[in-house]
């Protein structure tokens, strides 16, 4: 029998996916990626990651592969960095007698309609909402709340399919589009239900929770409506103590109300005059490079904490650094083309040279077309900055992202200067 394995069920395509594998290796555990298409994750080949090709949408086929691995080698943990596969990873861990979140709680949480019902029933603040399965019902619900309203799928992540609709025609059109979808962007069957929600206008935050401990509060910036693309984060959020306490307490209450409390949860909220209200709870680590910001600003490695928890080890959550970190994402205001390789190298070098910038990255290749972002997939790159003061970190990240804008021609870019 060889060493211990950490099974990774699929991955997110950007951000922390590759870090899960690296942190496992640092713990002396071999990461194994089980996925339908290894080519979806270029880092797997680049890092020499062991992969197993399997239909991850077929739970029986996936269990057969996991069982075969477990008979030959010691499986020490099961995890995923992709929201879509958190329930099946939890179920596999339970079948193997390994640590993980409650599979039923996670499955219910991933259905945003059921999540809304449970939170409302527990007295946790949420926007007004209606669950509908046909266009007429969506329009009636919207008119009942008062326009504009948010219309979105009951499952998904990264702002996919989330839209602010200003009148009944827009509600009907977007509801019709969402209800016509039979599968999501991962090819998994999509529920034939959608949510119509009251539009909250307060500033947006997230609270990164681990177990039932609020680790840090994050100020979030959203790009131009009617979509809700996150274009920047600042942490720890600069807030009066009572406002931060309201966010943290509401986030932890939400986690408990949903039966979670193992590992990471990413809780998104809006701070209204009436108090904090939960937009949604995600039973996973945050995306948008937030775990990297937490590591740089607080000295807490949430990816490592998640890996250690899956391996049955005690995570380390004590803050060891006191700094401020900001990220700004580059998005296109209009259609454009990514510049030649030489230009890309120059703009990245200039962005990284900005005082305070610790990372600047472009996601696209020369000649690739880009257009206005409808969701997280429309981001072109990012700049991360760290400083002793929140304003300094934010300014450096803004400057870095603005320099990255030179990577795209024949377009106007919103290098996070258009912030909510």
């Amino acid at each position: 029998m060889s060493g211990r394995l950490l099974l990774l069920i699929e991955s997110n395509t950007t951000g922390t996916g590759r870090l899960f594998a690296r942190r496992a290796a640092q713990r002396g555990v071999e990461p194994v990626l089980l996925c339908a298409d290894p080519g979806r994750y270029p880092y797997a080949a680049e890092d020499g990651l062991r992969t197993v090709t399997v239909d991850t949408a077929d739970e029986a086929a996936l269990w057969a592969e996991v069982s075969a691995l477990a008979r030959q080698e010691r499986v020490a943990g099961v995890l995923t960095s992709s929201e879509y596969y958190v329930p099946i990873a939890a179920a596999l861990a339970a079948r193997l007698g390994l640590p993980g979140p409650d599979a039923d709680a996670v499955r219910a949480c991933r259905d945003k309609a059921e999540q809304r019902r449970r939170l409302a029933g527990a007295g946790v603040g949420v926007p007004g909402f209606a669950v509908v399965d046909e266009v007429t019902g969506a329009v009636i619900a919207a008119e009942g709340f008062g326009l504009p309203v948010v219309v979105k799928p009951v499952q998904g992540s990264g702002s996919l399919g989330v839209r602010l609709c200003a009148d009944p025609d827009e509600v009907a059109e977007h509801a019709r589009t969402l209800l016509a979808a039979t599968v999501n962007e991962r090819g998994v069957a999509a529920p034939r239900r959608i949510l119509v929600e009251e539009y909250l206008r307060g500033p947006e935050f997230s609270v990164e929770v681990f177990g039932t401990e609020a680790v840090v509060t994050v100020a979030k910036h959203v790009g131009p409506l009617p979509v809700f693309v996150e274009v920047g984060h600042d942490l720890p959020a600069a807030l009066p103590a009572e406002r931060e306490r309201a966010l943290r307490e509401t986030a932890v209450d939400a986690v408990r109300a949903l039966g979670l409390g193992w590992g990471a949860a990413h809780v998104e909220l809006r701070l209204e005059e009436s108090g904090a209200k939960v937009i949604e709870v995600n039973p996973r680590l945050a995306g948008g490079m937030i775990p990297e910001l937490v590591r740089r600003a607080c000295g807490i490695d949430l990816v490592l904490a998640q890996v250690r928890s899956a391996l049955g080890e005690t995570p380390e959550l004590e803050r060891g650094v006191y700094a401020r970190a900001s990220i700004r994402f580059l998005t296109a205001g209009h259609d454009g083309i990514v510049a030649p390789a030489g230009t890309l190298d120059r703009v990245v070098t200039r962005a990284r040279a900005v005082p305070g910038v610790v990372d600047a990255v472009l996601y696209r290749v020369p000649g690739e077309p880009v257009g206005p972002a409808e969701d997280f997939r429309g981001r072109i790159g990012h700049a991360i900055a760290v400083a002793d003061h929140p304003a300094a970190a934010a300014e450096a990240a803004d400057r870095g992202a603005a320099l990255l804008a030179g990577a795209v021609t024949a377009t106007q870019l919103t290098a996070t200067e258009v912030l909510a």
Side-chain angles (χ1 to χ4, degrees):
M1 180 176 291
S2 63
R4 298 186 299 163
L5 306 181
L6 176 65
L7 306 186
L8 301 171
I9 311 303
E10 295 286 353
S11 172
N12 48 348
T13 51
T14 60
T16 58
R18 120 187 282 159
L19 295 181
F20 275 77
R22 290 183 173 180
R23 297 297 186 268
Q26 290 168 7
R27 301 302 298 168
V29 178
E30 182 186 2
V32 179
L33 177 63
L34 288 85
C35 56
D37 177 15
R40 188 181 180 91
Y41 311 112
Y43 75 83
E46 292 166 4
D47 292 359
L49 182 62
R50 179 177 166 189
T51 61
V52 175
T53 302
V54 57
D55 182 359
T56 48
D58 183 335
E59 190 164 351
L62 187 54
W63 173 244
E65 287 289 349
V66 169
S67 299
L69 284 168
R71 285 193 298 269
Q72 299 170 26
E73 303 176 77
R74 181 185 172 192
V75 175
V78 183
L79 264 182
T80 182
S81 60
S82 170
E83 175 165 323
Y84 298 99
Y85 298 91
V86 173
I88 198 165
L92 291 169
R95 292 180 75 169
L96 292 170
L98 297 171
D102 180 275
D104 290 336
V106 167
R107 192 170 288 108
C109 183
R110 282 221 63 243
D111 185 314
K112 292 179 174 61
E114 181 60 24
Q115 181 186 126
R116 279 275 182 270
R117 294 188 189 102
R118 294 192 181 196
L119 291 176
V124 177
V126 296
F129 69 97
V131 185
V132 300
D133 58 9
E134 43 88 27
V135 172
T136 301
V139 173
I140 292 171
E143 291 175 334
F145 290 127
L147 294 155
V149 294
V150 178
V151 180
K152 63 185 183 183
V154 296
Q155 289 185 2
S157 67
S159 303
L160 286 159
V162 182
R163 193 172 191 87
L164 185 69
C165 297
D167 58 47
D169 289 341
E170 288 187 5
V171 172
E173 180 180 1
H174 193 51
R176 189 175 294 109
T177 298
L178 295 180
L179 289 168
T182 56
V183 297
N184 63 24
E185 71 283 1
R186 287 274 188 156
V188 179
R192 298 278 296 176
R193 294 171 292 120
I194 60 173
L195 277 169
V196 179
E197 296 185 341
E198 171 192 10
Y199 174 45
L200 302 181
R201 301 172 188 272
E204 186 168 345
F205 300 88
S206 70
V207 177
E208 308 314 316
V209 177
F210 206 92
T212 55
E213 176 182 346
V215 175
V216 67
T217 304
V218 181
K220 304 173 82 66
H221 303 288
V222 179
L225 297 170
V227 292
F228 292 84
V229 180
E230 294 178 358
V231 295
H233 312 302
D234 304 312
L235 70 84
L239 282 169
E242 68 276 7
R243 290 166 70 84
E244 181 169 16
R245 184 167 54 251
L247 289 166
R248 285 173 168 254
E249 289 177 352
T250 302
V252 172
D253 287 346
V255 165
R256 287 179 168 145
L258 294 170
L260 303 174
W262 181 93
H266 172 61
V267 185
E268 298 175 337
L269 311 96
R270 292 244 178 185
L271 196 51
E272 304 292 296
E273 289 186 5
S274 58
K277 293 193 176 183
V278 174
I279 300 299
E280 61 186 51
V281 178
N282 303 282
R284 54 165 173 83
L285 281 181
M289 300 300 292
I290 288 175
E292 179 64 7
L293 299 183
V294 175
R295 187 183 68 82
R296 291 184 177 273
C298 305
I300 299 171
D301 190 333
L302 291 175
V303 177
L304 178 58
Q306 190 81 334
V307 168
R308 292 189 65 160
S309 294
L311 297 174
E313 302 173 1
T314 302
E316 297 176 357
L317 299 174
E318 184 175 350
R319 186 168 181 178
V321 176
Y322 290 83
R324 304 284 177 164
S326 294
I327 188 170
R328 295 294 182 267
F329 294 100
L330 180 68
T331 59
H334 301 282
D335 292 343
I337 299 293
V338 177
T343 301
L344 300 192
D345 292 341
R346 286 194 295 272
V347 299
V348 170
T349 298
R350 290 169 185 162
R352 290 176 177 171
V354 173
V357 169
V358 296
D359 187 33
V361 178
L362 291 167
Y363 312 148
R364 306 304 180 89
V365 298
E368 184 176 353
V370 296
E374 293 286 325
D375 50 61
F376 79 99
R377 296 172 299 181
R379 296 170 181 159
I380 300 167
H382 73 250
I384 295 175
V386 178
D388 292 333
H389 191 276
E395 181 182 356
D398 284 338
R399 288 182 61 199
L403 288 169
L404 290 179
V408 179
T409 60
T411 187
Q412 297 177 5
L413 294 181
T414 56
T416 69
E417 73 271 20
V418 184
L419 299 181

